[in-house]
Amino acid sequence: HAGGGSSPLECTRTFTRRGEKGMLGGGRHFKSWGFIANMLDTKQKTCFAFVLVFVIFAGLFRFWLAPFFLKLPANFTYEGQLTSVDNFYDESLQKFAGEQYSKSNFSYRVTDSVSGIYSVENTFSVSTLDDQPIFSTVRNYGIDSITWAQVPGFGDHDREGYLFAPSGLDPNESFTYWHVNYDAPAKMTFLESTTLFGLPVNHYESYYEDIWVDQTDSLDGLPGVPEERGIVVEPHLELWIEPASGYLVKYHDDTYAYYYDINTQEKLDPWNHFSNTFSDDSVQQHVKEAEVWRMKHYFYYYVLPLCLLGLALVSLLISFHHKKNLKKGGTGLSWIIMGTFVVLPVSTYLVSTFLLRNVLYSEVNRSFDDRVQLLEDSILKRTEIYSNTLTGAAGLFTSSEEVTREEWKAYADRIDLQGNYPGVLGLGYVLLVNPEEKAAHVQKIREEGFPNYTIFPEGDRAVYSTVLYLEPFVGGNVLVMGYDMLSEPIRQLAMDQARDNGVVSISGLVHLIQDLGDPDKRGFLMYVPIYAKGLPLETVDERRVALTGYAYSPFRAEDFINGLFSSSDLGVNFALYDGVSPDSSNLIFERLEDDIPYGELSYNKITTFYLLGRPWTLKVGGLSEFKLSSEQSYLLYSEVIFGSLVTLFFIFLFFALYLSRQNMIDFIARKKGFGS
């Protein structure tokens, strides 16, 4: 009993209460901890609310907002340049006359919109290689701007299908596509998954099974159309689609067109066998466009929803972490520290490594593209030289009434044909001979010292062409004298093109007369027309009337290419084809410095270029030269190693700081909660 007024029991209770307050840091401190606990409970509820909001918004974005962000732009345009090949059927000869090349333009553009339905104009126009228009057709489609699907009731008539293809299409599913040329529904079925210039694409095809594709209205200028005959086509259509976005990267068609009896619908003779395919430049441009749509598709459909779900998960983890830290006296900052010391360095390292890798491989890719361009330019430049030489030879006939055999030989000797122009077998002159003049002409040449001279092959033709001069007149060239080149369709086609256009032309692949004993050897010929002096040459008809012959040169394909790259170590495998596709039947030349299939090479490219108006296709594959150099590989590996070490350091630093902080929290908790 001390100080009076209090019993020993009351003093003991008072001491105990004060001791409790002192041990816990006082009543005020005790109340503050209760306040913080209440605050943390509120934060936990808030975190759960955020979890719910993020999950709901992720679903809404994935299934409702994403298609809106990927809608067809109101100013949408799409364009592709195509190479077109026609092979018209000669009804009098009952055979196809030979391939003729032209250019085509394929395009879409939005012209109007009504309540989210776009009016899309689809144009297909064909022109000559010198841009003279031949044919054009236009269709108008009604397209849903969100789904890119065709909408019945809009456009020039009802259609159901897609502008290109549905996005996210399962490979085993088919879809309906309308091609401007045929204006009929094509059921596109899956063929294979492949790549175009590094972009994964799905390859589809359609044969328009059980669909009568009538083009009579579009071709009513043909003989007997539409009064007696119509035109029906049997297309084989192929599409290459980027699967995520449904974007059209490439198309190719191969079609037979037939006449049919307008009354009985009976199919008659063919009219044309034609094909169209996107140029490589257009395919590469569409690859870039499809890459953008693909990334947008992944971003809106997957990345953003997953980020929202990730935020929901983080909110959930933070709520549990707050509760755990509350028991230990923590403040809930460890997740912020983790974001700073782990996520940031890891993401920075990954991005920097990705960028460095892209830079290094871009350098190799540019080097490979330069090598492809070197091959193409070398062929074009050499051909231009030969073309100028041939034009000069034809010019002899504009400066004199007649060029004798001796003058022709003197010109060939002066330009040193064999020494300066590797690959060319000779310099020749072809004379046109009318049937009524044939006998007199043959007799004249025999009297000049060629007793066995004749025009061959035998047969009656509207006009004959005969090889009169060919220098050097030795070896296999002797066998060519008197050969009628107009008797062979591939040569005739090139000669007709040179005649009608008034320029140098080049033929497709042929077996040269010089190499008839070796069927594996193939070649081509170059022609320049020779016209009579003083006659007008403004129109095609005038040029046909004025034509008297040709200057020409035969080329053995293997010698022509070897003359360009005889001793060059190109570091690539390459093959050259006549036409617009790498078809083995049209192989001009192939060089394999390393016997590795093209598909297994790190870099490969297919490009089509025009040689005197005729398309040649170059297929190139890069060898070991087109890989990262040892220095570049060392730089990339160094980046990987250094970045990994830095990342590990930051992770170690985070855990060191985290453990230190936890130890401090535990120490303070022991001092405040359990100290004596």
Side-chain angles (χ1 to χ4, degrees):
H1 183 76
S6 297
S7 69
L9 181 58
E10 289 174 333
C11 288
T12 302
R13 288 173 177 170
T14 302
F15 176 79
T16 302
R17 285 195 299 270
R18 288 177 179 175
E20 289 174 352
K21 291 178 182 179
M23 188 169 66
L24 294 175
R28 185 177 300 172
H29 187 73
F30 180 79
K31 291 179 180 179
S32 68
W33 271 103
F35 176 74
I36 292 174
N38 289 334
M39 286 295 293
L40 287 174
D41 287 342
T42 302
K43 289 182 179 179
Q44 193 172 5
K45 293 175 184 177
T46 303
C47 287
F48 278 115
F50 274 117
V51 169
L52 184 61
V53 169
F54 286 138
V55 169
I56 292 174
F57 197 66
L60 289 174
F61 203 98
R62 170 66 176 79
F63 297 104
W64 185 68
L65 287 177
F68 177 80
F69 283 109
L70 294 168
K71 66 183 295 188
L72 190 69
N75 60 347
F76 176 77
T77 59
Y78 177 98
E79 186 170 13
Q81 299 297 324
L82 301 96
T83 298
S84 299
V85 183
D86 289 288
N87 195 348
F88 294 101
Y89 190 78
D90 189 324
E91 293 183 87
S92 62
L93 299 177
Q94 290 291 293
K95 66 178 183 179
F96 288 99
E99 293 181 344
Q100 300 182 33
Y101 292 88
S102 55
K103 296 188 298 185
S104 298
N105 179 272
F106 174 80
S107 65
Y108 293 100
R109 69 183 184 96
V110 175
T111 58
D112 196 9
S113 64
V114 177
S115 302
I117 307 300
Y118 289 168
S119 178
V120 177
E121 181 181 86
N122 187 194
T123 304
F124 188 91
S125 56
V126 185
S127 62
T128 63
L129 296 177
D130 57 353
D131 298 318
Q132 299 300 313
I134 298 175
F135 168 79
S136 180
T137 187
V138 179
R139 314 283 184 195
N140 285 285
Y141 306 145
I143 303 295
D144 187 312
S145 61
I146 300 295
T147 64
W148 296 36
Q150 304 204 21
V151 182
F154 293 83
D156 49 31
H157 67 80
D158 286 352
R159 300 178 180 88
E160 291 185 359
Y162 288 86
L163 182 66
F164 299 141
S167 62
L169 183 67
D170 187 285
N172 294 322
E173 294 182 62
S174 60
F175 65 94
T176 300
Y177 174 79
W178 292 71
H179 189 272
V180 61
N181 254 3
Y182 311 121
D183 200 32
K187 183 179 180 181
M188 307 304 303
T189 55
F190 178 76
L191 274 181
E192 61 177 346
S193 293
T194 183
T195 59
L196 289 175
F197 298 99
L199 177 73
V201 294
N202 287 343
H203 184 190
Y204 297 86
E205 71 171 354
S206 175
Y207 284 92
Y208 288 75
E209 293 88 349
D210 302 322
I211 296 178
W212 181 268
V213 184
D214 198 306
Q215 287 197 321
T216 304
D217 291 342
S218 301
L219 300 168
D220 58 2
L222 294 176
V225 178
E227 295 79 14
E228 301 172 1
R229 304 190 294 184
I231 297 287
V232 62
V233 296
E234 297 178 353
H236 174 213
L237 177 65
E238 297 175 85
L239 303 180
W240 286 259
I241 300 291
E242 194 289 303
S245 62
Y247 201 82
L248 176 63
V249 178
K250 176 183 176 180
Y251 104 77
H252 170 78
D253 61 17
D254 186 82
T255 302
Y256 282 90
Y258 295 88
Y259 290 108
Y260 69 88
D261 188 289
I262 205 73
N263 296 315
T264 66
Q265 306 287 297
E266 179 186 358
K267 193 163 64 175
L268 306 173
D269 285 334
W271 166 63
N272 190 9
H273 175 204
F274 62 89
S275 66
N276 303 280
T277 189
F278 275 150
S279 68
D280 287 307
D281 288 341
S282 286
V283 173
Q284 291 181 68
Q285 179 61 37
H286 296 147
V287 164
K288 295 176 183 177
E289 295 167 358
E291 280 280 14
V292 173
W293 282 103
R294 178 189 184 207
M295 296 304 295
K296 289 170 65 176
H297 180 91
Y298 285 144
F299 180 75
Y300 289 118
Y301 271 98
Y302 301 105
V303 176
L304 273 182
L306 286 175
C307 286
L308 292 170
L309 291 176
L311 289 173
L313 179 61
V314 169
S315 299
L316 188 62
L317 291 174
I318 287 176
S319 70
F320 287 120
H321 193 68
H322 273 303
K323 185 175 181 180
K324 181 179 179 182
N325 275 357
L326 175 60
K327 295 178 180 179
K328 296 184 176 182
T331 60
L333 295 175
S334 60
W335 290 97
I336 300 174
I337 297 173
M338 179 176 285
T340 303
F341 287 96
V342 178
V343 177
L344 183 60
V346 169
S347 60
T348 302
Y349 158 60
L350 292 175
V351 170
S352 63
T353 303
F354 174 77
L355 292 176
L356 176 62
R357 182 180 180 86
N358 276 358
V359 169
L360 294 178
Y361 277 100
S362 292
E363 292 180 2
V364 179
N365 193 46
R366 280 195 296 271
S367 177
F368 176 73
D369 287 341
D370 290 342
R371 190 62 51 85
V372 175
Q373 193 63 49
L374 172 64
L375 287 167
E376 182 179 325
D377 289 345
S378 298
I379 295 170
L380 289 171
K381 288 177 181 177
R382 180 60 61 88
T383 305
E384 183 179 0
I385 292 172
Y386 291 173
S387 172
N388 292 336
T389 302
L390 202 58
T391 302
L396 294 176
F397 288 88
T398 64
S399 57
S400 62
E401 293 296 330
E402 183 182 4
V403 177
T404 65
R405 189 178 304 275
E406 290 72 22
E407 290 171 332
W408 192 259
K409 183 179 185 305
Y411 177 81
D413 291 342
R414 186 165 62 252
I415 63 175
D416 190 9
L417 197 65
Q418 298 296 302
N420 294 328
Y421 303 92
V424 63
L425 296 182
L427 180 67
Y429 167 57
V430 176
L431 176 68
L432 295 186
V433 179
N434 292 322
E436 61 272 16
E437 301 170 341
K438 179 183 176 184
H441 165 77
V442 169
Q443 183 61 33
K444 176 186 175 184
I445 301 303
R446 288 178 176 178
E447 291 174 356
E448 290 178 357
F450 301 94
N452 297 322
Y453 173 79
T454 188
I455 295 176
F456 69 96
E458 295 291 337
D460 295 331
R461 293 182 283 277
V463 65
Y464 299 90
S465 69
T466 177
V467 178
L468 203 55
Y469 309 151
L470 183 57
E471 295 295 334
F473 193 60
V474 294
N477 284 353
V478 175
L479 303 175
V480 184
M481 186 176 180
Y483 176 59
D484 181 4
M485 294 189 178
L486 290 176
S487 65
E488 195 277 314
I490 296 177
R491 291 175 171 88
Q492 179 188 4
L493 181 62
M495 295 167 77
D496 289 347
Q497 290 173 343
R499 174 199 65 194
D500 291 348
N501 298 320
V503 296
V504 182
S505 72
I506 192 170
S507 78
L509 283 180
V510 298
H511 293 291
L512 299 173
I513 300 298
Q514 292 92 329
D515 294 327
L516 287 181
D518 189 349
D520 292 334
K521 289 186 177 180
R522 304 178 78 182
F524 57 92
L525 303 108
M526 192 181 295
Y527 298 94
V528 62
I530 298 173
Y531 301 107
K533 291 195 300 182
L535 294 181
L537 304 173
E538 296 298 320
T539 67
V540 171
D541 288 338
E542 289 174 345
R543 289 191 286 272
R544 290 179 177 179
V545 170
L547 185 73
T548 61
Y550 299 87
Y552 90 101
S553 284
F555 296 84
R556 188 176 290 126
E558 182 177 358
D559 295 345
F560 176 76
I561 302 300
N562 280 330
L564 288 172
F565 310 109
S566 57
S567 59
S568 299
D569 183 10
L570 297 169
V572 295
N573 289 341
F574 73 94
L576 193 62
Y577 300 85
D578 177 44
V580 295
S581 62
D583 188 333
S584 59
S585 63
N586 292 328
L587 179 65
I588 297 174
F589 178 84
E590 183 174 34
R591 172 178 288 183
L592 301 177
E593 295 185 8
D594 197 344
D595 193 14
I596 303 175
Y598 285 94
E600 296 179 12
L601 297 172
S602 301
Y603 289 88
N604 54 76
K605 185 174 184 179
I606 298 175
T607 181
T608 299
F609 59 96
Y610 285 86
L611 198 70
L612 301 176
R614 186 172 185 85
W616 279 13
T617 297
L618 183 63
K619 183 178 180 181
V620 187
L623 302 177
S624 57
E625 177 181 338
F626 298 100
K627 294 181 180 179
L628 291 184
S629 66
S630 57
E631 293 81 3
Q632 291 171 321
S633 298
Y634 176 77
L635 180 61
L636 185 58
Y637 295 147
S638 298
E639 162 74 8
V640 172
I641 295 171
F642 179 74
S644 300
L645 291 175
V646 170
T647 301
L648 289 173
F649 169 75
F650 276 106
I651 293 174
F652 171 78
L653 182 61
F654 159 70
F655 280 110
L657 291 173
Y658 180 75
L659 291 174
S660 175
R661 175 178 171 277
Q662 289 299 116
N663 289 335
M664 181 65 71
I665 291 171
D666 293 342
F667 175 76
I668 293 172
R670 286 195 302 271
K671 285 291 185 182
K672 291 184 176 181
F674 304 101
S676 56

